Amino acid sequence: MSKVAPKVRRPKFDTEDMPEYYWNGNPVATHFLNSAHMVFPDGEKLFIRYVKKFSDQIQDPQLKERVKGFIGQEMSHSSVHEKIMQMLESRGLPAEEIRSWYAKTAYNDSENFFVNLFGDITGLTVTAGLEHWTSILAEAALENNSEVLSGIHPEMRRLLRWHAAEEIEHKSVAFDVLKTVDDRYFTRALGMIIATFYLGFYMAYGWAAFLTSDKKINWLEIPGHALNALPVAVQATMKFTAGFWRYFLPDFHPDDIENDEMAAQVMQEENQFLYEMKAG
Ligand SMILES: [Fe+2]
Ligand SMILES: [Fe+2]
C-alpha cells in the first residue's frame, strides 16, 4: 500500500492564559487529561527507541521514509507534552514526582523484565499496540465535530487536535515495521495485551495521583464533576472496547480504519497554528 511519509510540524502554543481546570472548569476531566500528558513523553520515547532499533531491517524505501516522519512527529509530541508537565509543576502540582514513579516502574523495571523474557521485539509490538490505542483515542477526540473536545480551552484543544491528527497520519508505521520483522499473530496479540494493561494502569495511577495531590480541590464538588463527565466517558469507553477487539482480527491493518480524511481536514483547519520541520 502506498502511503506518504508523515510530515513533522510543531505547534505554536501558549499556556499563559490557560485556566487551571482547562476542561470545562472540571478537575475530574482535566486531571484525566493531565494523566495523558504525563504518560505521553516517556511512552513516545519508547516508540522511537524500538522503531529505531528495528529500522535497519527495513528494506522498503517508502517505509524507511515513513519511519523518519514517525520519529520526527513523536519527538515533537513528546517535547510539547513535556512542556505541559512543566506548566503543571509551575502551578504547584507535583507533576515530575508523579511522572518519575511511572517512568521508573514502567521503563526501568517492566520494560527490562519483558525484554529479558521475550526479547526486543516486545518493545516493538507494544509500540504497535499503543499506536493503535492512540489512533482510537485520536478518532474519539476528533469525530462528531469534536464534541469531546468542545469544552476544552482553545489552546489545549488545538494542541490535542494537532496530536490526534498526526496519530492518525502515522497510525500504521509501527505496525508495518512489526509486520516486516515479525509477522506472527501471537507477537501482535501479546503486544496489545501488554500495551492495554499498562496504559490502563498508568492512566488510572496518574489520574488518581493528580486528583489527590491537588490541594485546591473541593471534594464535595467532585461527584457533580464526575457526573458531568460521565456521558463523554461512557461514549468513549464503548468506542475503546470496539477498537480494542478489532486489533485481534487476524487480517487487521490500521489503514483499513477510514479516518485519514478527517485527520487531513483537521490539519487544514489548524494549519496557521503549525509550522513544519525537517524530518530525520
Ligand atoms: Fe504521539
Ligand atoms: Fe503515535
Side-chain angles (χ1 to χ4, degrees), residues 40 44 47 70 73-74 77 127 130-132 134-135 163 166-168 170-171 174:
F40 277 128
E44 285 163 329
F47 304 167
F70 168 82
Q73 286 193 339
E74 293 296 17
H77 301 168
T127 298
L130 286 170
E131 278 295 302
H132 180 58
T134 55
S135 154
H163 191 168
E166 289 197 349
E167 286 306 320
I168 290 174
H170 72 227
K171 65 187 173 189

Side-chain angles (χ1 to χ4, degrees), residues 10-77:
R10 224 190 245 280
K12 295 173 207 133
F13 169 59
D14 185 7
T15 58
E16 208 159 296
D17 296 327
M18 199 179 294
E20 201 151 23
Y21 302 127
Y22 52 79
W23 195 342
N24 255 340
N26 185 329
V28 175
T30 301
H31 283 313
F32 180 77
L33 214 45
N34 285 340
S35 181
H37 291 305
M38 176 206 70
V39 167
F40 277 128
D42 297 295
E44 285 163 329
K45 282 176 195 151
L46 174 102
F47 304 167
I48 294 168
R49 212 158 48 241
Y50 283 95
V51 166
K52 262 190 184 164
K53 225 169 232 187
F54 288 92
S55 60
D56 57 350
Q57 294 184 39
I58 303 167
Q59 307 296 331
D60 175 5
Q62 203 174 49
L63 183 54
K64 275 180 193 275
E65 282 307 303
R66 288 168 57 212
V67 162
K68 265 196 213 167
F70 168 82
I71 290 172
Q73 286 193 339
E74 293 296 17
M75 278 169 72
S76 192
H77 301 168

Side-chain angles (χ1 to χ4, degrees), residues 257-273:
I257 302 171
E258 288 176 13
N259 49 18
D260 300 284
E261 265 180 43
M262 181 169 68
Q265 173 74 28
V266 169
M267 277 308 179
Q268 214 168 25
E269 287 163 12
E270 298 297 349
N271 204 26
Q272 30 158 342
F273 150 79

